[in-house]
Amino acid sequence: MSTSSSNPVSNTAPPKAPARRQSGDRHVYNGPGMIATGEATALLPTETTPPIKVFGTAAIRETFDDLCLQQAVNSRLAPGVTDLILNPDAHCGYGAPVGSVLVSPTHIYPGPVGVDIKCSMSLLQLDLPADAVDDRKVRRELISAICRRTPTGAGKGQRSVAQSRHVNRTLGKQLVLEGASKDVCMALGIPPNWAFRCEDSFHVGHDGTATALEARLETLLATREMTNFSEKMQQLGSYGGGNHFGECEVVEVGDNERARSVAETFGLHDGNVAFLSHCGSRGFGHILASGQFKHLQTKFDRWGIPLPAGDRQLVYAPLGSDEANNYLDDMSLGANFATVNHLLINALVLEAFQEVIPGVKGDLVYFISHNIARREIVNDRPAWVHRKGATRAMPAGHHSLEGTPFANSGHPILLPGNPRDGSAVMVADPGAEASCFSVNHGAGRVLGRRHAKRVLDQSTVDTELESNDILSNCRRYPIDEAPAAYKDFNEVLHSVKSAGLASEVARLKARFVIKDASKADD
């Protein structure tokens, strides 16, 4: 690829990856094994590059299946890649493993961002004591009030619920260009100051300007793939399906001095109710990402460019090329949608709580992504850090936090676990530099969705939640989202702590969960 997409050039074939073969529907990894370097650290060698850094205890490393390891090696050997990190939640994904970090100063990779551009976590802290949601009837009323405002399900949008915010085409164009600007927030009833509690409240075009982003959007709107733009804007303020959720929590701040001090900086209140959300850029982001995969794969086929390890989902574009510029613009458009989507969900959730319990107040603790590529400084030079199912982890004193509320503490890290075992708020330690200032994005799957449906028992899943007094909007909890489908969250957190990447500030205990009820009730 060149800076002019009409002038193809040949690329040098990437280094050969270790052999890969299939046994039935499983890949068998034949490369070198992992070498332990500490209680929760290891190295995964490759044939031609410095090794992959692995974070996870021996028990966690056993959860990395062969395909996950093969994808990690394939990604490390891809052109322009200088670092590859495997976090404790790592499992096989599309091209690159979910739970990995890929660094390149010269290339951009759509695969290590994924199809849900800027899938993220956000946490809303309420001034409501835990006992206010003890009554199951109150929780049922809260679930209903939230579901009247925030639809769930892959194709669901504002028209499927009664009290959503309407987003027309004009506002839709504005929000994907501006992100959480003051005007966009005011138009949607989002407190504008929440933008200061975002990892990135807005994204600009490939050249650092809004003009480039606007030009790209106009080009996209003229294409056949984006004829449903207005329809996709109707999904703003919704959760979607899969592993996306909203969860009512009770905050339990750690009992050490540092945890209490950091919690105060974050705005966390021990013993109070909070609300944790997980979602991304919905159908709009999926269209953008899918279009980029298709476009780049067509270019690779047309020009005969070798694919890394023959994997079509590891297509890439050299920085400065038209292809890279278009991808970065599309990623920014999707990321701006995801940002506003989260902030609107939080505003609607707060509104729902106020309907059921008048007078409740709430503030955003933080909004942070785990599917994004960001330009950062790695090894003293600019590079694109691709986090796929990985969370940024900048400790106190990091230059990127200068001028933020978290300069002296490190920023909040929001890690979802499962309703049974809780979720966590963490803060980075100086040792996070070893992982390119990244940690896992949650527990990580240990059972694939089909496998979970085959081996898990629905009544056991539902009984387990009931015994923990956790309610849901689903008549039957989605079995492929059951706690047993995920890794041991406490062992995942132990890995992060033992590796010196981050420390726990608070644990979040679930009281009710909002999931995609459409499939759960099939």
Side-chain angles (χ1 to χ4, degrees), residues 326-362:
N326 289 341
Y327 176 76
L328 292 173
D329 289 346
D330 287 4
M331 184 182 70
S332 290
L333 291 167
N336 281 337
F337 182 97
T339 301
V340 181
N341 188 37
H342 260 271
L343 296 189
L344 179 55
I345 284 174
N346 280 280
L348 292 168
V349 166
L350 178 56
E351 182 180 284
F353 268 87
Q354 291 169 337
E355 176 187 308
V356 177
I357 308 173
V360 173
K361 296 179 181 178

Short mmCIF file of all heavy atoms in Angstrom, two decimals, residues 326-362:
data_model
loop_
_atom_site.label_atom_id
_atom_site.label_comp_id
_atom_site.label_asym_id
_atom_site.label_seq_id
_atom_site.Cartn_x
_atom_site.Cartn_y
_atom_site.Cartn_z
N ASN A 326 -7.98 6.34 6.37
CA ASN A 326 -9.42 6.03 6.37
C ASN A 326 -9.80 5.19 7.58
O ASN A 326 -10.86 5.41 8.19
CB ASN A 326 -9.81 5.31 5.08
CG ASN A 326 -9.76 6.22 3.87
OD1 ASN A 326 -9.78 7.44 4.00
ND2 ASN A 326 -9.68 5.63 2.69
N TYR A 327 -8.95 4.23 7.92
CA TYR A 327 -9.27 3.42 9.10
C TYR A 327 -9.28 4.27 10.37
O TYR A 327 -10.20 4.16 11.19
CB TYR A 327 -8.30 2.25 9.29
CG TYR A 327 -8.64 1.52 10.56
CD1 TYR A 327 -9.74 0.66 10.61
CD2 TYR A 327 -7.94 1.75 11.75
CE1 TYR A 327 -10.12 0.05 11.79
CE2 TYR A 327 -8.31 1.14 12.94
CZ TYR A 327 -9.40 0.29 12.95
OH TYR A 327 -9.79 -0.29 14.12
N LEU A 328 -8.28 5.10 10.55
CA LEU A 328 -8.22 5.92 11.76
C LEU A 328 -9.42 6.86 11.84
O LEU A 328 -9.96 7.09 12.93
CB LEU A 328 -6.91 6.72 11.78
CG LEU A 328 -5.64 5.88 11.97
CD1 LEU A 328 -4.40 6.74 11.81
CD2 LEU A 328 -5.64 5.20 13.34
N ASP A 329 -9.85 7.39 10.71
CA ASP A 329 -11.04 8.23 10.71
C ASP A 329 -12.29 7.44 11.08
O ASP A 329 -13.12 7.89 11.89
CB ASP A 329 -11.23 8.88 9.34
CG ASP A 329 -10.19 9.95 9.04
OD1 ASP A 329 -9.50 10.37 9.98
OD2 ASP A 329 -10.09 10.35 7.87
N ASP A 330 -12.43 6.26 10.49
CA ASP A 330 -13.60 5.43 10.81
C ASP A 330 -13.60 5.01 12.27
O ASP A 330 -14.65 4.99 12.93
CB ASP A 330 -13.62 4.19 9.91
CG ASP A 330 -14.01 4.51 8.48
OD1 ASP A 330 -14.18 5.70 8.16
OD2 ASP A 330 -14.14 3.57 7.68
N MET A 331 -12.42 4.66 12.79
CA MET A 331 -12.32 4.29 14.20
C MET A 331 -12.75 5.46 15.09
O MET A 331 -13.45 5.27 16.09
CB MET A 331 -10.90 3.86 14.54
CG MET A 331 -10.72 3.37 15.97
SD MET A 331 -9.01 2.93 16.38
CE MET A 331 -8.24 4.56 16.39
N SER A 332 -12.37 6.67 14.71
CA SER A 332 -12.73 7.85 15.51
C SER A 332 -14.23 8.10 15.48
O SER A 332 -14.83 8.47 16.49
CB SER A 332 -11.97 9.08 15.00
OG SER A 332 -10.60 8.98 15.31
N LEU A 333 -14.84 7.93 14.31
CA LEU A 333 -16.29 8.10 14.22
C LEU A 333 -17.02 7.10 15.13
O LEU A 333 -17.93 7.46 15.88
CB LEU A 333 -16.75 7.93 12.77
CG LEU A 333 -16.32 9.03 11.80
CD1 LEU A 333 -16.56 8.58 10.36
CD2 LEU A 333 -17.07 10.33 12.06
N GLY A 334 -16.60 5.84 15.05
CA GLY A 334 -17.21 4.82 15.91
C GLY A 334 -16.94 5.09 17.38
O GLY A 334 -17.82 4.88 18.23
N ALA A 335 -15.73 5.56 17.69
CA ALA A 335 -15.38 5.83 19.09
C ALA A 335 -16.20 6.99 19.65
O ALA A 335 -16.60 6.96 20.82
CB ALA A 335 -13.88 6.13 19.19
N ASN A 336 -16.45 8.00 18.84
CA ASN A 336 -17.28 9.12 19.32
C ASN A 336 -18.70 8.65 19.62
O ASN A 336 -19.31 9.08 20.61
CB ASN A 336 -17.28 10.24 18.28
CG ASN A 336 -16.03 11.09 18.33
OD1 ASN A 336 -15.35 11.15 19.35
ND2 ASN A 336 -15.71 11.73 17.22
N PHE A 337 -19.23 7.77 18.77
CA PHE A 337 -20.56 7.22 19.06
C PHE A 337 -20.55 6.45 20.38
O PHE A 337 -21.44 6.61 21.21
CB PHE A 337 -21.01 6.30 17.92
CG PHE A 337 -22.39 5.72 18.11
CD1 PHE A 337 -23.49 6.29 17.50
CD2 PHE A 337 -22.59 4.59 18.91
CE1 PHE A 337 -24.76 5.76 17.68
CE2 PHE A 337 -23.85 4.06 19.11
CZ PHE A 337 -24.94 4.65 18.49
N ALA A 338 -19.54 5.60 20.56
CA ALA A 338 -19.46 4.79 21.77
C ALA A 338 -19.38 5.66 23.02
O ALA A 338 -20.01 5.35 24.05
CB ALA A 338 -18.25 3.86 21.70
N THR A 339 -18.63 6.74 22.94
CA THR A 339 -18.49 7.64 24.09
C THR A 339 -19.84 8.23 24.48
O THR A 339 -20.24 8.19 25.65
CB THR A 339 -17.50 8.77 23.77
OG1 THR A 339 -16.22 8.20 23.44
CG2 THR A 339 -17.34 9.72 24.95
N VAL A 340 -20.53 8.79 23.51
CA VAL A 340 -21.82 9.41 23.81
C VAL A 340 -22.85 8.36 24.20
O VAL A 340 -23.71 8.60 25.06
CB VAL A 340 -22.30 10.23 22.59
CG1 VAL A 340 -23.64 10.91 22.90
CG2 VAL A 340 -21.26 11.29 22.23
N ASN A 341 -22.75 7.16 23.61
CA ASN A 341 -23.65 6.07 23.99
C ASN A 341 -23.55 5.78 25.48
O ASN A 341 -24.56 5.69 26.19
CB ASN A 341 -23.32 4.82 23.17
CG ASN A 341 -24.33 3.70 23.37
OD1 ASN A 341 -25.53 3.94 23.50
ND2 ASN A 341 -23.84 2.47 23.38
N HIS A 342 -22.34 5.66 25.99
CA HIS A 342 -22.14 5.40 27.41
C HIS A 342 -22.66 6.53 28.28
O HIS A 342 -23.34 6.30 29.29
CB HIS A 342 -20.65 5.18 27.70
CG HIS A 342 -20.28 3.74 27.83
ND1 HIS A 342 -20.33 3.06 29.01
CD2 HIS A 342 -19.84 2.85 26.91
CE1 HIS A 342 -19.93 1.80 28.82
NE2 HIS A 342 -19.63 1.67 27.54
N LEU A 343 -22.32 7.75 27.92
CA LEU A 343 -22.74 8.88 28.75
C LEU A 343 -24.26 8.99 28.77
O LEU A 343 -24.85 9.29 29.82
CB LEU A 343 -22.11 10.17 28.25
CG LEU A 343 -20.57 10.24 28.33
CD1 LEU A 343 -20.09 11.65 28.01
CD2 LEU A 343 -20.05 9.81 29.69
N LEU A 344 -24.90 8.73 27.63
CA LEU A 344 -26.36 8.79 27.60
C LEU A 344 -26.97 7.67 28.44
O LEU A 344 -27.94 7.90 29.18
CB LEU A 344 -26.87 8.71 26.16
CG LEU A 344 -28.39 8.74 26.00
CD1 LEU A 344 -29.01 9.96 26.67
CD2 LEU A 344 -28.78 8.69 24.52
N ILE A 345 -26.42 6.47 28.35
CA ILE A 345 -26.92 5.38 29.19
C ILE A 345 -26.85 5.77 30.66
O ILE A 345 -27.81 5.56 31.43
CB ILE A 345 -26.12 4.08 28.93
CG1 ILE A 345 -26.55 3.45 27.60
CG2 ILE A 345 -26.29 3.08 30.08
CD1 ILE A 345 -25.72 2.26 27.18
N ASN A 346 -25.75 6.35 31.08
CA ASN A 346 -25.61 6.75 32.48
C ASN A 346 -26.62 7.82 32.87
O ASN A 346 -27.19 7.80 33.97
CB ASN A 346 -24.19 7.21 32.76
CG ASN A 346 -23.23 6.05 32.96
OD1 ASN A 346 -23.17 5.47 34.04
ND2 ASN A 346 -22.48 5.71 31.92
N ALA A 347 -26.88 8.76 31.96
CA ALA A 347 -27.88 9.79 32.23
C ALA A 347 -29.27 9.17 32.35
O ALA A 347 -30.07 9.57 33.22
CB ALA A 347 -27.86 10.85 31.13
N LEU A 348 -29.57 8.20 31.50
CA LEU A 348 -30.87 7.53 31.54
C LEU A 348 -31.01 6.66 32.79
O LEU A 348 -32.09 6.58 33.39
CB LEU A 348 -31.07 6.69 30.28
CG LEU A 348 -31.21 7.49 28.97
CD1 LEU A 348 -31.11 6.57 27.77
CD2 LEU A 348 -32.51 8.27 28.95
N VAL A 349 -29.93 6.01 33.19
CA VAL A 349 -29.97 5.20 34.41
C VAL A 349 -30.21 6.09 35.63
O VAL A 349 -31.02 5.76 36.50
CB VAL A 349 -28.65 4.41 34.56
CG1 VAL A 349 -28.52 3.84 35.98
CG2 VAL A 349 -28.58 3.28 33.53
N LEU A 350 -29.52 7.22 35.68
CA LEU A 350 -29.74 8.16 36.79
C LEU A 350 -31.19 8.64 36.81
O LEU A 350 -31.82 8.71 37.88
CB LEU A 350 -28.78 9.35 36.67
CG LEU A 350 -28.92 10.44 37.73
CD1 LEU A 350 -28.77 9.89 39.14
CD2 LEU A 350 -27.89 11.56 37.47
N GLU A 351 -31.71 8.94 35.64
CA GLU A 351 -33.11 9.37 35.54
C GLU A 351 -34.05 8.28 36.04
O GLU A 351 -35.05 8.56 36.73
CB GLU A 351 -33.41 9.70 34.08
CG GLU A 351 -34.81 10.20 33.79
CD GLU A 351 -34.98 10.49 32.30
OE1 GLU A 351 -34.47 11.53 31.85
OE2 GLU A 351 -35.59 9.66 31.59
N ALA A 352 -33.75 7.00 35.74
CA ALA A 352 -34.58 5.89 36.20
C ALA A 352 -34.54 5.76 37.72
O ALA A 352 -35.58 5.54 38.36
CB ALA A 352 -34.11 4.59 35.54
N PHE A 353 -33.36 5.88 38.30
CA PHE A 353 -33.26 5.84 39.76
C PHE A 353 -34.06 6.98 40.39
O PHE A 353 -34.74 6.79 41.41
CB PHE A 353 -31.79 5.93 40.19
CG PHE A 353 -31.13 4.59 40.36
CD1 PHE A 353 -30.54 3.95 39.28
CD2 PHE A 353 -31.09 3.97 41.60
CE1 PHE A 353 -29.91 2.72 39.42
CE2 PHE A 353 -30.47 2.74 41.76
CZ PHE A 353 -29.88 2.11 40.67
N GLN A 354 -34.00 8.16 39.77
CA GLN A 354 -34.73 9.31 40.33
C GLN A 354 -36.23 9.14 40.23
O GLN A 354 -36.98 9.66 41.06
CB GLN A 354 -34.27 10.58 39.61
CG GLN A 354 -32.84 10.98 39.95
CD GLN A 354 -32.29 12.08 39.06
OE1 GLN A 354 -32.77 12.28 37.93
NE2 GLN A 354 -31.28 12.78 39.52
N GLU A 355 -36.69 8.39 39.23
CA GLU A 355 -38.11 8.12 39.11
C GLU A 355 -38.59 7.23 40.25
O GLU A 355 -39.66 7.44 40.83
CB GLU A 355 -38.41 7.44 37.78
CG GLU A 355 -39.87 7.03 37.60
CD GLU A 355 -40.09 6.21 36.33
OE1 GLU A 355 -39.67 6.67 35.25
OE2 GLU A 355 -40.66 5.10 36.45
N VAL A 356 -37.80 6.22 40.59
CA VAL A 356 -38.19 5.25 41.62
C VAL A 356 -37.87 5.78 43.02
O VAL A 356 -38.64 5.58 43.97
CB VAL A 356 -37.48 3.90 41.38
CG1 VAL A 356 -37.81 2.90 42.49
CG2 VAL A 356 -37.87 3.33 40.02
N ILE A 357 -36.72 6.45 43.15
CA ILE A 357 -36.29 6.97 44.46
C ILE A 357 -36.00 8.46 44.28
O ILE A 357 -34.87 8.86 43.98
CB ILE A 357 -35.04 6.23 44.98
CG1 ILE A 357 -35.26 4.71 44.94
CG2 ILE A 357 -34.69 6.69 46.40
CD1 ILE A 357 -34.03 3.89 45.28
N PRO A 358 -37.00 9.32 44.40
CA PRO A 358 -36.83 10.75 44.14
C PRO A 358 -35.71 11.37 44.99
O PRO A 358 -35.51 10.99 46.15
CB PRO A 358 -38.19 11.34 44.51
CG PRO A 358 -39.15 10.21 44.34
CD PRO A 358 -38.40 8.98 44.76
N GLY A 359 -35.00 12.29 44.35
CA GLY A 359 -33.95 13.02 45.05
C GLY A 359 -32.56 12.42 44.94
O GLY A 359 -31.58 13.01 45.40
N VAL A 360 -32.45 11.24 44.32
CA VAL A 360 -31.13 10.61 44.18
C VAL A 360 -30.24 11.45 43.26
O VAL A 360 -30.69 11.98 42.24
CB VAL A 360 -31.27 9.19 43.58
CG1 VAL A 360 -29.91 8.59 43.28
CG2 VAL A 360 -32.04 8.31 44.53
N LYS A 361 -28.97 11.56 43.62
CA LYS A 361 -27.98 12.25 42.79
C LYS A 361 -26.89 11.26 42.40
O LYS A 361 -26.65 10.28 43.09
CB LYS A 361 -27.38 13.44 43.54
CG LYS A 361 -28.39 14.53 43.87
CD LYS A 361 -27.73 15.66 44.63
CE LYS A 361 -28.75 16.75 44.99
NZ LYS A 361 -28.13 17.85 45.78
N GLY A 362 -26.25 11.55 41.29
CA GLY A 362 -25.20 10.66 40.82
C GLY A 362 -24.16 11.40 40.00
O GLY A 362 -24.46 12.42 39.37
#
